[in-house]
Amino acid sequence: MIRKAMDGNMAAAEGARLARVQVVAAYPITPQTPIVEHLASLIAKGRLAARYINVESEHSALCAVIGASLVGARVFTATASAGLALMHEVTGVAAGCRLPIVMPIVNRALPSPWSLWCDHSDSMGERDQGWIQFYAENSQEVLDLVILAYRLAEDKRILLPVNICLDGFFLSHTTEAVLVPEQGEVDAFLPPYCGQNLILDPQEPLAVNVLTGPEIFTEIKYQQKQAMDRVFPVMEEIGLEFARRFGRFYPPFSAEFCEDAEVILVTMGTMSGVARYVVKGLREQGKRVGLLKLRVFRPFPGKEISRVLRKAKAVAVIDRSAGLGSLGPLSLEIKGALYTSGLDEAPMVRSYIAGLGGRDITEETIGQVIEDTFGTLGNPRDEYASKWIDLRKEEC
Amino acid sequence: MASVSKKTSEKDYLCKGLTTCEGCGMELIARKMLQILGPNTIILTPPSCSAILTGISRETGWRVPAFMSNLESVGAYASGIRVGLEVLGRNDIHVVGFAGDGGTVDIGLQALSGAIERGHRFIYVCYDNEAYMNTGIQRSGATTLGAWTTTTPGGKTNQRKDVARMLLAQGIPYLATASVGYINDFANKINKAKSVDGPSYIHVHTPCSTGWRFPAERTIEVARMAVQTGMWVLYEAEEGKVRITRKIRSFKPVEEYLRLQKRFSGITEQVLQELKDYIREGYEFLQEREEKSGK
Ligand SMILES: Cc1ncc(C[n+]2csc(CCOP(=O)(O)OP(=O)(O)O)c2C)c(N)n1
Ligand code: SF4
Ligand SMILES: [Mg+2]
């Protein structure tokens, strides 16, 4: 293992290189572009034995990797924002055909208005398409998760595509020290891909993805659901092996200072680093506040999360997407998890919207969320609303 | 029907008893195409009447591997499959897109053009029934001027988009037009496409009795009349060198073609004239290209 300085994009590309992907098809979009440039360069220099398909759109990028995956190649693509929205039609095809595609999403707000900067509205739009979704906090996690993702996606019990969501610029363009495993170590963990499920092969002709009637459509969807249900146990098994080999373990979420917390903050992505810093500071002042950082959003670890959260008096969820017409999507998931946990009294769940279109989630923002939530303790409110905590009211 | 091959020794890789309409030109083309390409073929069909061949639920018409693609992305899937096969060292397989005119000249044009630019080896066969038939006869970019469809109830007001000509301009190793009415000509062209080391495109005129409103037994007659009146010209272009494969010395009057189909029953004098101009211009263009190619 060697220590190298790299940003999130480079980590994603290096993860793909170490996973020995065989076909890459991608279309450039800020802030994802460096990933595909780096891979194109690795392939051109012969440092990665793969083929790069220069497609003419993101829709075609995903179709091309679906095609290559359908004949048994290990494939990679990456996108963001409008590119992901363009792919939407075929993200469902990738999942429905049970193809182990790994695709980082470098989170960027969806238009309109146009923004180059981070929020989670793009990946949230894909949340029910049948992909596993990881949210990474740092470059190390990005690199490790790409490797883990292939192992998980290709496991016969799973066969689902995986998104690794990384915050645009905050993570994609921020350089940090990363431990890069040796190729041999990765090879030992991730054997070559051998497609065995839906394979287009004249030796054994199959018609794949055909028009499907109501008598069997539900069952095919149910099989996808069953695979989703198997993700956590399989991920633990694979994750433990990864930890044995590489010394890093990636559970679906991590709970810090939650044991005796009155208020638990729930975060995803890079905001978690700031949140951790603020929570630690408040703990030192004796405030009973905890942090639950979610790493896997799909499948949603509702049961396990509710076990942690139920002990708190209130839960503050920060969503980095607007959830227009409802509450922040993560807060809805948390509410759902707590409501079905069978508790007589569930903690109050507060929905906060922050960090849209690249706005910084600062110590101050996090501090306000926590303070606001503490303010509601013993003061229950009859409301169903999100609080836009970092709003510049003078502009509205 | 004289030109339909009688060689029954050719093995069929498309089942019988499919639910296409009686007299479907598209089905005939698909069957012939696979007889020539043989079993080492992966076929892609987008949503369209060709999807009927790919099947429903547990049934499929193909005896070769098939993938039901999206309407706009046959070209992209073909690229991915070809490159995937190449990295796995499997170079003996034909990758074939079999798409309708709507999936080709409208929504799928970008992906097709991209795949051709990339030079990937695949055969793209567009069967042209001149409308979105599977969704119930709506206009496509390939619909002939003046034709009735459910979305051009007063007759189409624009000339058809000639995508074969567009691709000729783009540059492609092998390109051809064909017709279900001249099946041996089509077979020759598939045979050529088979050995091209790069993309090939074959645009086949396949009259559709359901959508064009003519009796099912007249598919071949209508197809032939299109060629004999110059509404459809059979040619090929190898590395851009054009050769008209069925030369017409004197065109039959286009009215003879139009009269066979109810979709043209409301046509005006002006439209008729525009169609005649279209025929002349189209044929002259090809003759010129052919002349230049000869030199
Ligand atoms: C993205 C998308 N838009 C619309 C459709 C609906 N649709 C299915 S088949 C079809 C018509 C296709 O026409 P064509 O390619 O000419 O084939 P044909 O039906 O005539 O055989 C359309 C519009 C679809 N499946 N996908
Ligand atoms: S509508 Fe036309 S193209 Fe479609 S199956 Fe019927 S005859 Fe064939
Ligand atoms: Mg059509």
Side-chain angles (χ1 to χ4, degrees):
Chain A
M1 224 175 284
I2 48 163
R3 227 169 114 86
K4 260 185 145 174
M6 63 177 77
D7 61 21
N9 276 339
M10 206 54 68
E14 283 294 295
R17 176 183 66 81
L18 288 165
R20 293 188 188 277
V21 299
Q22 294 167 298
V23 176
V24 178
Y27 191 82
I29 183 167
T30 304
Q32 153 268 33
T33 317
I35 299 181
V36 298
E37 286 175 338
H38 187 59
L39 284 170
S41 148
L42 287 174
I43 293 169
K45 287 179 186 148
R47 288 187 55 213
L48 173 62
R51 290 277 301 276
Y52 189 95
I53 309 180
N54 268 306
V55 283
E56 75 302 324
S57 79
E58 286 88 354
H59 192 281
S60 286
L62 189 51
C63 291
V65 296
I66 288 172
S69 185
L70 276 169
V71 292
R74 183 176 284 160
V75 301
F76 180 90
T77 184
T79 191
S81 184
L84 183 61
L86 185 58
M87 279 181 182
H88 180 71
E89 182 195 17
V90 280
T91 56
V93 177
C97 292
R98 308 292 299 274
L99 299 172
I101 296 167
V102 175
M103 174 168 81
I105 297 171
V106 189
N107 287 110
R108 164 178 165 185
L110 274 179
S112 161
W114 281 96
S115 163
L116 295 169
W117 299 280
C118 174
D119 70 32
H120 295 165
S121 53
D122 52 0
S123 52
M124 280 297 158
E126 299 301 317
R127 67 184 184 270
D128 297 333
Q129 285 289 82
W131 289 57
I132 295 168
Q133 280 195 338
F134 292 132
Y135 282 78
E137 186 185 333
N138 54 47
S139 296
Q140 183 72 61
E141 213 174 317
V142 172
L143 185 143
D144 290 347
L145 286 178
V146 170
I147 297 165
L148 256 170
Y150 278 107
R151 176 75 191 270
L152 180 66
E154 291 170 6
D155 191 292
K156 271 189 222 135
R157 295 163 289 180
I158 305 296
L159 295 173
L160 293 172
V162 184
N163 288 143
I164 290 139
C165 305
L166 58 149
D167 287 348
F169 297 108
F170 296 121
L171 177 47
S172 67
H173 286 65
T174 303
T175 302
E176 308 173 286
V178 172
L179 293 170
V180 182
E182 299 292 335
Q183 184 67 64
E185 294 175 297
V186 176
D187 291 346
F189 173 74
L190 181 68
Y193 175 55
C194 174
Q196 286 168 330
N197 185 37
L198 295 179
I199 292 292
L200 296 174
D201 181 358
Q203 303 297 316
E204 274 180 79
L206 265 185
V208 178
N209 197 33
V210 300
L211 181 67
T212 299
E215 78 288 355
I216 191 74
F217 187 90
T218 305
E219 288 66 28
I220 290 176
K221 282 291 137 194
Y222 193 76
Q223 289 176 11
Q224 283 176 261
K225 175 217 145 25
Q226 287 177 310
M228 277 287 180
D229 291 347
R230 288 190 288 263
V231 166
F232 290 126
V234 173
M235 198 179 143
E236 176 159 289
E237 186 187 307
I238 290 171
L240 287 172
E241 188 188 327
F242 188 90
R244 263 199 314 280
R245 290 178 186 274
F246 303 102
R248 292 176 295 276
F249 182 58
Y250 293 106
F253 62 88
S254 54
E256 298 160 67
F257 309 108
C258 287
E259 272 305 306
D260 63 340
E262 292 184 303
V263 168
I264 298 177
L265 184 64
V266 181
T267 60
M268 287 201 305
T270 53
M271 72 170 101
S272 311
V274 188
R276 187 176 298 111
Y277 177 77
V278 173
V279 166
K280 268 190 187 159
L282 289 170
R283 272 285 168 179
E284 277 160 24
Q285 294 168 28
K287 261 210 144 112
R288 282 164 62 187
V289 56
L291 173 68
L292 189 146
K293 177 195 103 160
L294 192 63
R295 181 174 290 114
V296 185
F297 182 71
R298 280 291 179 271
F300 192 74
K303 191 169 154 197
E304 298 75 9
I305 281 183
S306 79
R307 285 200 187 127
V308 175
L309 297 182
R310 66 172 68 157
K311 295 180 210 143
K313 292 187 175 144
V315 176
V317 185
I318 306 183
D319 265 285
R320 203 161 202 156
S321 55
L324 295 174
S326 183
L327 310 184
L330 178 55
S331 78
L332 291 175
E333 297 285 346
I334 300 283
K335 284 189 186 225
L338 285 167
Y339 186 71
T340 49
S341 68
L343 293 174
D344 292 328
E345 250 180 89
M348 175 164 49
V349 178
R350 307 271 300 153
S351 165
Y352 296 94
I353 307 293
L356 302 188
R359 182 160 295 177
D360 261 338
I361 296 186
T362 60
E363 291 164 49
E364 205 191 358
T365 313
I366 304 273
Q368 275 178 35
V369 166
I370 294 170
E371 200 184 306
D372 189 68
T373 304
F374 268 104
T376 62
L377 295 185
N379 180 19
R381 294 180 188 183
D382 182 18
E383 63 179 19
Y384 188 82
S386 293
K387 193 153 183 178
W388 292 47
I389 195 82
D390 58 4
L391 197 65
R392 294 174 55 204
K393 294 206 177 68
E394 68 280 12
E395 296 282 354
C396 305
Chain B
M1 300 280 268
S3 77
V4 176
S5 169
K6 293 265 169 48
K7 272 190 255 163
T8 46
S9 60
E10 282 169 328
K11 195 164 182 255
D12 244 345
Y13 296 96
L14 187 61
C15 304
K16 302 272 166 43
L18 294 158
T19 55
T20 49
C21 314
E22 194 184 352
C24 176
M26 175 274 291
E27 185 191 329
L28 272 175
I29 284 299
R31 194 173 296 286
K32 189 72 198 172
M33 174 179 83
L34 268 195
Q35 283 172 354
I36 295 163
L37 294 175
N40 257 6
T41 301
I42 293 173
I43 197 137
L44 298 163
T45 59
S48 61
C49 285
S50 70
I52 299 169
L53 316 181
T54 303
I56 178 162
S57 297
R58 296 174 194 273
E59 289 185 343
T60 178
W62 303 111
R63 292 198 170 101
V64 296
F67 180 70
M68 178 77 180
S69 85
N70 296 77
L71 190 51
E72 60 277 59
S73 51
V74 172
Y77 282 119
S79 270
I81 289 174
R82 171 56 70 205
V83 172
L85 289 171
E86 282 173 4
V87 298
L88 298 167
R90 302 196 60 180
N91 296 319
D92 56 337
I93 299 171
H94 299 298
V95 178
V96 177
F98 188 67
D101 49 293
T104 303
V105 315
D106 290 338
I107 194 167
L109 185 57
Q110 172 184 317
L112 170 62
S113 170
I116 290 171
E117 184 217 337
R118 289 187 290 272
H120 291 145
R121 182 158 66 90
F122 70 106
I123 302 171
Y124 191 105
V125 175
C126 168
Y127 66 91
D128 191 346
N129 53 23
E130 295 195 19
Y132 304 154
M133 292 308 174
N134 204 241
T135 36
I137 326 172
Q138 293 85 33
R139 164 233 82 98
S140 85
T143 306
T144 297
L145 174 73
W148 166 91
T149 67
T150 58
T151 51
T152 54
K156 194 186 178 214
T157 52
N158 315 93
Q159 285 288 7
R160 63 190 309 276
K161 188 203 287 190
D162 189 344
V163 162
R165 198 153 141 183
M166 280 172 70
L167 295 178
L168 190 62
Q170 177 177 339
I172 177 169
Y174 185 72
L175 172 141
T177 59
S179 163
V180 68
Y182 295 88
I183 204 81
N184 290 340
D185 175 80
F186 171 69
N188 289 340
K189 288 166 177 172
I190 290 285
N191 254 316
K192 282 198 179 165
K194 217 174 144 173
S195 51
V196 171
D197 187 20
S200 41
Y201 177 81
I202 303 182
H203 196 126
V204 197
H205 203 224
T206 54
C208 160
S209 66
T210 306
W212 297 9
R213 306 296 198 228
F214 62 79
E217 68 275 16
R218 304 187 86 163
T219 303
I220 301 302
E221 188 186 337
V222 172
R224 294 180 143 235
M225 195 57 89
V227 173
Q228 288 161 11
T229 56
M231 273 307 296
W232 193 256
V233 186
L234 302 181
Y235 68 96
E236 66 181 4
E238 292 177 77
E239 298 297 347
K241 283 193 178 359
V242 169
R243 189 174 73 85
I244 298 174
T245 57
R246 188 164 185 96
K247 296 204 169 50
I248 308 289
R249 261 167 251 299
S250 69
F251 292 124
K252 287 189 176 160
V254 69
E255 290 88 334
E256 286 188 32
Y257 170 65
L258 304 178
R259 212 180 289 132
L260 291 171
Q261 312 159 54
K262 282 213 188 108
R263 65 174 175 150
F264 290 114
S265 57
I267 221 155
T268 63
E269 272 308 311
Q270 193 200 333
V271 167
L272 189 64
Q273 190 51 51
E274 282 177 45
L275 284 176
K276 286 178 178 169
D277 294 344
Y278 173 84
I279 289 171
R280 187 169 23 78
E281 193 277 336
Y283 202 75
E284 279 171 10
F285 168 80
L286 288 167
Q287 276 180 317
E288 266 170 42
R289 280 292 296 246
E290 188 178 46
E291 245 166 67
K292 273 190 206 142
S293 305
K295 279 167 199 159

